Structure formats: structure tokens, C-alpha cells
Amino acid sequence: MFDLPTEITSGRRLSATVGGLFAATGDDFISGPVSSLDLTFDGIVGDFHAGATRRSGGREPWYPRGTEMRNERQLSIVAADELAMAAVDMGVDRIRPEWIGANLLLDGVPQLSMLPPRTLLFFANGVTLKIDGQNAPCRLSGNSIADHFPDHDHTALALSFKDAAKRRRGLVAWVEKPGRISVGESVKVHVPEQWIYRG
């Protein structure tokens, strides 16, 4: 038996508000503002990222690209303050959630992107989302941002998103309990007990 020190942090409860909702109903990940989202166990009805499964990509190098796998990335969740900080580091005046394919702008949670996996979001009207983890910044989102600033060097600006948005890009989540989410709705955030594994 190994007797290793274990650092355990108790769970906690936070409150939040839905500050904005967005759906990607076209043929790519770019989303647009909506007043509500209808969710099933497959995610957002009609959204680019909907589905019980998805195809693996660069984030899953342990599978051949295109392998069918569980879709834990049904929704993308961001915070306005984190996007504002990323924008400053990129040298631009704003990053809009829809430019990077976000579905949910969540207000009131400090350091949103640092919420741990297994965090539950309980929406007042009955929906529950489960956080899978952080959403790593990618070149596609960087390109989308750069498209809105034609006075900048497109390639340099797109590449700068990766570092500027590290641990600020928000979270990905999947639907644990379906229903409808509306703008302005209150949310209870249940952060689970956390520990550092050193085995």
C-alpha cells in the first residue's frame, strides 16, 4: 500500500444566470443569438454539434481521426469576462461568443473555465447539464475571430488565440436532463468534491 498525501477540496454551490444563448444551425460551428434552446439527450436541436456521438479529431490522438465516439461536446459554455481578457491579450476590442461557436454565455461564475469535470448546472426550468471539461482553443476559432478584424494580420491574430484563450475558452458539456433553456434563467452550479491524484 502507498500512503500518499491526498489534497481534497469540498464541493460547493454557486449561482449563475444565462446571459446569452446561441445556436449553430448552419453548416459550420459559427453560432447566432437565440432567445431559447431546446435540448434533447442529443444536445441542441438542429445544432452543428448535436448528436449522441461525434467523430474524433485532433483532440483525441489516441483514435484514428474520424472514429465514432461519445459526444461529450454537445454544448460550449463561455463567460464574458474571460473572453474580454482573451481579447485584450490578442490586441482586439472584443470576442463575441458566436464567433467561436459558443452556445451558452453564463454570468456570475468566477473563473468559469476552471470549473472541474462533473460540475452540474441545474437550470431553473428543469434542464441539467454536466461539465466534461475545458474547451481548448483551436485554430478554427482563431480564424473566425481574425475574420472580423481585417486591419490585423490575419494569420498572426488567428494564431494568438491559442495562448490568449488558454484556460479562458470556457467549457464543454452534455445534456443530462433535457428541456428548454431561456435567456435570463437562473442556474444553480454544483461543484463536486475535488482531489489531486498522485498515485
Side-chain angles (χ1 to χ4, degrees):
M1 291 289 293
F2 294 97
D3 187 17
L4 297 172
T6 303
E7 178 184 339
I8 297 176
T9 302
S10 298
R12 58 184 301 197
R13 304 290 185 263
L14 304 169
S15 296
T17 306
V18 177
L21 294 171
F22 311 87
T25 55
D27 57 1
D28 65 17
F29 70 97
I30 304 300
S31 55
V34 295
S35 59
S36 63
L37 290 175
D38 290 314
L39 306 179
T40 70
F41 287 117
D42 284 346
I44 301 167
V45 175
D47 188 80
F48 183 76
H49 288 107
T53 64
R54 66 178 180 88
R55 298 292 178 179
S56 65
R59 293 182 175 91
E60 297 85 28
W62 44 89
Y63 297 132
R65 191 176 288 260
T67 300
E68 187 175 21
M69 57 177 287
R70 173 65 60 191
N71 185 10
E72 81 296 8
R73 302 176 58 83
Q74 293 175 340
L75 289 95
S76 168
I77 305 169
V78 297
D81 60 338
E82 292 184 331
L83 294 184
M85 288 186 285
V88 168
D89 285 355
M90 292 179 72
V92 296
D93 63 354
R94 69 200 182 283
I95 298 173
R96 292 185 178 168
E98 56 266 42
W99 295 350
I100 59 174
N103 303 118
L104 171 59
L105 181 69
L106 201 61
D107 295 336
V109 179
Q111 293 185 292
L112 175 78
S113 294
M114 300 304 289
L115 286 177
R118 295 178 51 245
T119 295
L120 287 167
L121 306 180
F122 293 98
F123 293 77
N125 292 332
V127 167
T128 305
L129 301 181
K130 181 169 276 190
I131 300 302
D132 178 75
Q134 287 188 0
N135 194 3
C138 68
R139 176 72 182 270
L140 288 176
S141 292
N143 280 330
S144 176
I145 295 167
D147 287 344
H148 293 85
F149 298 96
D151 55 329
H152 287 65
D153 180 292
H154 190 281
T155 299
L157 187 59
L159 289 174
S160 71
F161 180 64
K162 182 177 179 182
D163 289 335
K166 185 176 183 180
R167 298 193 176 92
R168 297 171 176 166
R169 173 65 175 84
L171 305 159
V172 290
W174 50 273
V175 178
E176 182 165 280
K177 183 173 177 289
R180 174 174 287 186
I181 298 174
S182 298
V183 173
E185 190 171 343
S186 62
V187 186
K188 298 299 182 185
V189 181
H190 288 203
V191 182
E193 181 181 79
Q194 300 169 69
W195 52 85
I196 303 299
Y197 178 72
R198 296 190 176 93

